[in-house]
Amino acid sequence: MSRLEAKKPSLCKSEPLTSEKVRATLCVLKGILTSSYGPSGRLKQVHNGLGGCVCTTSQSSALLSNLPVTHPILKILTTSTKNHVSCFSDCGLFTAILCCNLIENVQRTGLTPTTVIKLNQHLLRLCTNYLKSESCGCRIPVDFSSPQTLLCLVRSIVTSKPACMLTREETDHISALVLKAFLLTIPENTKDRLILGKSIIVPLKGHRVLDSTVFPGILIEVSEVQLMKILPIKKSNAFKVALFCASLSGDLSDTGEGTMVVSSGVSLENAVLEQLLNLGRQLVSDHVDLVMCQKVLHPSLKQFLSMHQVIAIDRVGVALMEPLSKVTGTQPIGSLGSISPSSYGSVKDLCPAKFGFKHFLHLIPNEATICSLLLCNRNDTAWDELKLTCQTALHVLQLTIKEPCVLLGGGCTETHLAAYIRHKISNRRTSAGKNHQLQVPAGKDVHCLSYKKWSIPAPQPMTSCHQPELLWFFSNGLLFKTILLDFLLLQKITLLCFVCWTCLWFC
Amino acid sequence: MVVACVSSHLRRTGDGAKTFIILLCHLLRGLHTVIDKEQDSLISKNIQTHRRHWKNCCQWKFISQALLTFQTQILDYIMDHYLSKHFLTIFSSSTEERTLCRSSLELLLEAYFCGRVGRNNHYFISQLMCNYFFKCMACESGFEEVFDLVDDYFVELNVGVTGLPVSDSRIIAGLVLHRDFSVYCPADGDIRIVIVTETIQPLFSASASEFILNSEAQFQTSQFWIMEKTKAIVKHLQSQNVKLLLSSVKQPDLVTYYAGLNGISVVECLSPEEVSLIQRVMGLSPFILPQASSQYEICNTASVKFCKPLTLRSKRYVHLGLISTCSFVPHCIVLCGPVQGLVEQHEGALHGAFKMLRQLFKDLDLSYMIQTSDQNHTSSPLTYKDSRESNPLPEIVNGLIQRPYQGTVVKNKGNLAKTQTYLKVYSNLVVPSVELETCIPCSTPKVTPTDTYQTNETLRCLAPTKTRTIDDNEPFIESNSANSTAENTGIEISSENLQVTKIAGKGNMLPVREKSLEMCTSQSYCCSTLPAGCVLPVGGNFEILLHYYLLNYTRKCQQSEESVVSMIIANALLGIPQVLYKSKKGKYSFPQIYIRTLHALQTSQPIVSSQKGLESVAGKYQLLTSVLQCLTKILTIDLVINIRRQPREMYDQDSDEEV
């Protein structure tokens, strides 16, 4: 029975944004987010009072999904940030902070919501047009022939996640690994469409970060006992592979809706086993060297296969099926009957590997776009954070292929953009008079963020020659962000605000 | 109960929930004041005759009955006779086939989305919808079918994506299925598809049957047979050039394996709605597995243009380029938004808009009673109207009926031929849609009030087929004060009015005939049709017009309860424009607008609206009838009894007894 809850009367509130309570909670949220932003951001530890696992993080995705948000307006804000992050991986905190700032500053100006909506739309168009235009001073095209720009991009993502607990040396190492993993997923010869491969992140906790490595192909974790049985692997120049997606455990397949009457003395299990062994015989006679199954292999079949020097691995799991069929070029087999020879695939080499306390079987492909990133970190929470970081970085790199442009990081772009808007509006004010006066306060507000965030005085309208001077406060050198991320982000933020304001308007 | 009424109204028409509530409130308030007055003073002469009804406790019920009579008779009558001449149409040409005018549709949609979508996205969404509609429409005439289809399968025809800005929403050609391929084999060229509703693989035993196994070998052979059979079916599909298998159930691994081997893509677990949508669009029926023979022809295949995976924000969908056999060209809307809630809001608004349009493009049947037994009575509304216009008509001849016609040309006997040529000129013109807007004000001063002409009904009865075009009628030309300007009016009548006439003429053809026949036998039942696509400018125009004509009707109405009810409704209707113009000041405040409109009506000038948007007349009519229905329901209830549990349904008791 479902739990009964007293029915509450529906609640109608007008102008929700103006209430003091909302302002206070928004302020708290902003405080949490701003304090964890950037390379020198502070970490947040999320845990519940009853114990259990503790999450130490400064990333928006982890933070926002764990925060208990109750107020509808904050819910809109956090969910749209989360949705943005799930689309573009990066810049979640930036989105949320900018949004909070916009709401706060707009309230301070006391403009009507409808004006704010119009102004935001106008300013947004101004920003996106400028960022897309060639004349944009903070835009750099990505040069795919040299790794420098891409490496900087990855570095900026990795350094902005302090919860990974990386030293300078480790940061360099991880950035290089991520870039390498990304490059391994790009196919060598493409026809018309570029289909990127996949990097599989393999966990290895409790080890030094510097032990992390990247391999082409797939690492399948096997137990030591299993590996001992497999060894020694006979040498040949190619291994024939069969990949099963059907269960080979010997259970009966679906028998239909009707009843099945079995005479006494007839053992269906035996019949199925007999069928499995027949399958094994066929595999052996087809000179298959490696049999992998998504589900369970019957012990007798396993025994039979290992007797004939066929390596059998079961319980691969559905997640690995697609990469496996890509690496080996097999078609997952769903039948226990005769197998068509076209379903077999092959790998170039097969070797056992041991990293830390874990044993792996390494499948080395002839030519494939799948690679494994063995990721090490000292403890669980740091590893989780590092994994998220690497996924983010890989996704951002993929996006750069779509839009090969990056923006200067470290607040450069934001300051520059703020100056640009300021400049535009002051021009219009002098020319157009009072009609545009309204835009000035809002224009300031949009970009108060950048000044506040880096706690520097608001800059004078600047030209590109001033830019290098602004960079001194970053120990890490240039930070990069993809242009794609940034301008979609801006759009997003403004949109968000519109959502909030339209709520207000309708109430 | 009110909420239930509103939502059922909304489900049907997709518009007017707020107006519903406002109108209902005003009606109830109006009723209260009337009854209070009645109980206090009892001066009203009309009401006094019915005092005994009102005084006993079923007075509410009495009113509700009066309301019902009003709804079924007076409302339709007024709609048909008076209001219809003010209607504009959404079609842009007066030729035989109706073409949809894009700019009017845009205006209509913009007005619709104005209150439903946030101000920043409202223009974008209405453009998107407009584009979508025009892309989906294969030919000009088939839009009814398009609306029916889109309304019925709206969920299947749009894809919501969160995390992207709203401006990324777009229209995709073809159909997007909300799931991924189970097996995908890239294919091009002639791609044929089949739909199955059951598993291809034969099972050991069907339901309600027994499968007896006597030996292990028998089990193995039967398994082998199943395998071979599956293989054969898939092979056969491949030989028929089938490249895609759509299944409404989950297929066993064996099937997907063999399909993959034979280069057939498989999509499983389609919802019944998706299957029926594909069936309707492509005219494809599910493929039924033959039981016995292995050699057979598969006739239920259809070809698609393409079939490929579509990735929208890390989620994968199946994208099919269906080739349509009906007038609906399949397209899908991809709606983006930062949060799920916003996407849902936009989806709801779009769905509502399609419902509204669906209503708009249906002819609206009106039927009402006219007491023909007394001839003076019959013509009384008309004579009344005319006398008000200080334009006395010639007396009504026996056997002749006089009918106001929507926006018809004023003709003079002498100028008849000339005007007819104008008519023809205009009817051949395909009027550019922009003109539609500009024409309304410019045609204002000269169009004469009595846009009516008398038709010899007896003649019509003799030659009913000739009623179709105006030229074939023998119009009795009124001698009115506008005689001198008749020639001019012929020219200056806006093309807009003319279109309405034409369409109305066509739409009315059948009912008119019916009516005339009935009239001849002096019957009192009358029905007529509002043509599809009638619109009025937004901003309470409909309400003010109806209010005005209702008041006129009341003034000459003898039956007291009718007049009281009409009064109440007329006043309640006025509440809506009052609310609309609440925030406006000066020239656009409500009293100003109201006076201007009334003045325009009295001097019989077309009403100039300050607003550009349009709204559907059919929707408004539906709204009014729904409100009246709801009010009737409310009034018939005299006591609300609170109970703890849900009221028991009848069949519950039955089942209890059975148990």
Side-chain angles (χ1 to χ4, degrees), chain A residues 83 86-87 261 263 275 343 498, chain B residues 120 211 213-214 223 313 338:
Chain A
N83 282 334
S86 66
C87 265
V261 180
S263 323
Q275 210 178 0
S343 311
F498 294 165
Chain B
N120 45 337
F211 178 73
L213 270 179
N214 289 323
Q223 269 201 330
R313 212 212 98 184

Side-chain angles (χ1 to χ4, degrees), chain B residues 119-283:
Chain B
R119 184 169 285 196
N120 45 337
N121 301 320
H122 134 234
Y123 181 71
F124 176 78
I125 293 281
S126 69
Q127 284 295 318
L128 185 80
M129 162 110 181
C130 212
N131 288 336
Y132 178 72
F133 174 63
F134 277 98
K135 276 189 181 170
C136 283
M137 203 166 57
C139 54
E140 291 292 342
S141 54
F143 46 79
E144 281 99 347
E145 197 181 347
V146 173
F147 284 126
D148 290 355
L149 232 138
V150 174
D151 186 16
D152 291 348
Y153 298 102
F154 188 76
V155 183
E156 282 69 43
L157 288 171
N158 79 67
V159 189
V161 179
T162 55
L164 290 174
V166 177
S167 53
D168 278 13
S169 306
R170 60 190 183 273
I171 297 163
I172 306 183
L175 179 68
V176 177
L177 301 175
H178 296 217
R179 49 187 61 27
D180 194 14
F181 285 102
S182 309
V183 179
Y184 176 62
C185 310
D188 37 38
D190 179 33
I191 302 173
R192 302 200 74 81
I193 64 170
V194 284
I195 303 177
V196 290
T197 49
E198 54 193 332
T199 54
I200 282 185
Q201 180 182 358
L203 296 167
F204 276 103
S205 52
S207 57
S209 71
E210 275 189 355
F211 178 73
I212 300 167
L213 270 179
N214 289 323
S215 70
E216 287 158 25
Q218 191 193 357
F219 176 69
Q220 281 172 355
T221 40
S222 48
Q223 269 201 330
F224 184 72
W225 178 82
I226 286 173
M227 219 141 38
E228 286 301 314
K229 178 86 178 167
T230 314
K231 213 170 165 180
I233 294 171
V234 177
K235 272 256 156 56
H236 186 70
L237 285 175
Q238 189 208 10
S239 70
Q240 299 285 317
N241 215 0
V242 170
K243 295 276 172 58
L244 175 62
L245 183 71
L246 298 175
S247 163
S248 57
V249 291
K250 174 114 182 66
Q251 297 286 347
D253 286 343
L254 198 63
V255 177
T256 49
Y257 171 60
Y258 281 121
L261 276 185
N262 291 303
I264 299 173
S265 308
V266 181
V267 183
E268 295 170 311
C269 308
L270 293 179
S271 68
E273 288 83 19
E274 281 169 330
V275 172
S276 72
L277 173 64
I278 294 171
Q279 285 178 12
R280 241 172 102 171
V281 170
M282 303 186 75

Side-chain angles (χ1 to χ4, degrees), chain B residues 579-614:
Chain B
V579 172
L580 280 179
Y581 291 107
K582 215 177 204 169
S583 58
K584 299 274 168 57
K585 288 189 183 71
K587 201 184 159 205
Y588 293 108
S589 65
F590 172 68
Q592 293 270 345
I593 297 258
Y594 180 59
I595 288 167
R596 239 179 297 150
T597 318
L598 277 199
H599 181 72
L601 279 173
Q602 269 155 11
T603 53
S604 305
Q605 291 165 355
I607 304 143
V608 187
S609 174
S610 56
Q611 255 133 347
K612 276 172 83 185
L614 298 171

Side-chain angles (χ1 to χ4, degrees), chain B residues 312-523:
Chain B
L312 293 171
R313 212 212 98 184
S314 73
K315 238 181 139 185
R316 286 199 286 194
Y317 298 90
V318 176
H319 189 194
L320 298 179
L322 300 186
I323 296 168
S324 174
T325 52
C326 60
S327 58
F328 171 72
V329 185
H331 281 81
C332 275
I333 309 180
V334 177
L335 273 177
C336 302
V339 268
Q340 185 63 29
L342 191 70
V343 175
E344 276 167 15
Q345 186 194 346
H346 289 175
E347 271 174 17
L350 281 173
H351 198 179
F354 273 108
K355 278 187 178 154
M356 186 265 290
L357 288 181
R358 188 184 185 177
Q359 289 282 328
L360 175 66
F361 290 114
K362 267 187 194 143
D363 290 342
L364 188 63
D365 294 322
L366 303 171
S367 54
Y368 48 87
M369 310 278 277
I370 291 179
Q371 291 91 338
T372 36
S373 50
D374 181 9
Q375 271 184 8
N376 292 329
H377 188 74
T378 320
S379 47
S380 60
L382 297 165
T383 39
Y384 172 76
K385 183 178 138 249
D386 294 326
S387 61
R388 182 187 49 74
E389 282 154 359
S390 66
N391 190 7
L393 277 171
E395 78 295 344
I396 289 113
V397 194
N398 279 355
L400 287 179
I401 185 139
Q402 166 200 32
R403 241 169 61 84
Y405 221 96
Q406 297 101 308
T408 321
V409 198
V410 180
K411 277 174 266 181
N412 196 328
K413 240 175 196 164
N415 291 329
L416 186 61
K418 200 167 187 178
T419 334
Q420 276 172 1
T421 54
Y422 280 129
L423 255 175
K424 275 173 190 160
V425 168
Y426 271 101
S427 62
N428 289 334
L429 260 175
V430 178
V431 186
S433 48
V434 192
E435 212 174 300
L436 196 146
E437 291 311 310
T438 55
C439 268
I440 306 162
C442 82
S443 67
T444 48
K446 292 287 175 71
V447 180
T448 41
T450 48
D451 286 346
T452 57
Y453 67 92
Q454 297 157 293
T455 320
N456 191 331
E457 274 305 297
T458 45
L459 243 176
R460 268 203 196 177
C461 285
L462 292 174
T465 46
K466 285 188 180 173
T467 53
R468 201 162 160 229
T469 50
I470 299 166
D471 308 48
D472 292 338
N473 293 335
E474 292 221 351
F476 267 64
I477 306 307
E478 298 164 21
S479 55
N480 55 25
S481 57
N483 256 346
S484 53
T485 55
E487 198 178 320
N488 290 335
T489 44
I491 305 163
E492 279 172 33
I493 278 165
S494 67
S495 47
E496 181 58 36
N497 283 347
L498 201 68
Q499 289 162 23
V500 180
T501 320
K502 278 283 186 176
I503 293 152
K506 211 176 87 181
N508 272 347
M509 197 178 88
L510 198 75
V512 161
R513 203 186 307 161
E514 247 176 288
K515 181 175 160 185
S516 56
L517 284 170
E518 280 168 9
M519 286 298 172
C520 287
T521 52
S522 76
Q523 288 203 347

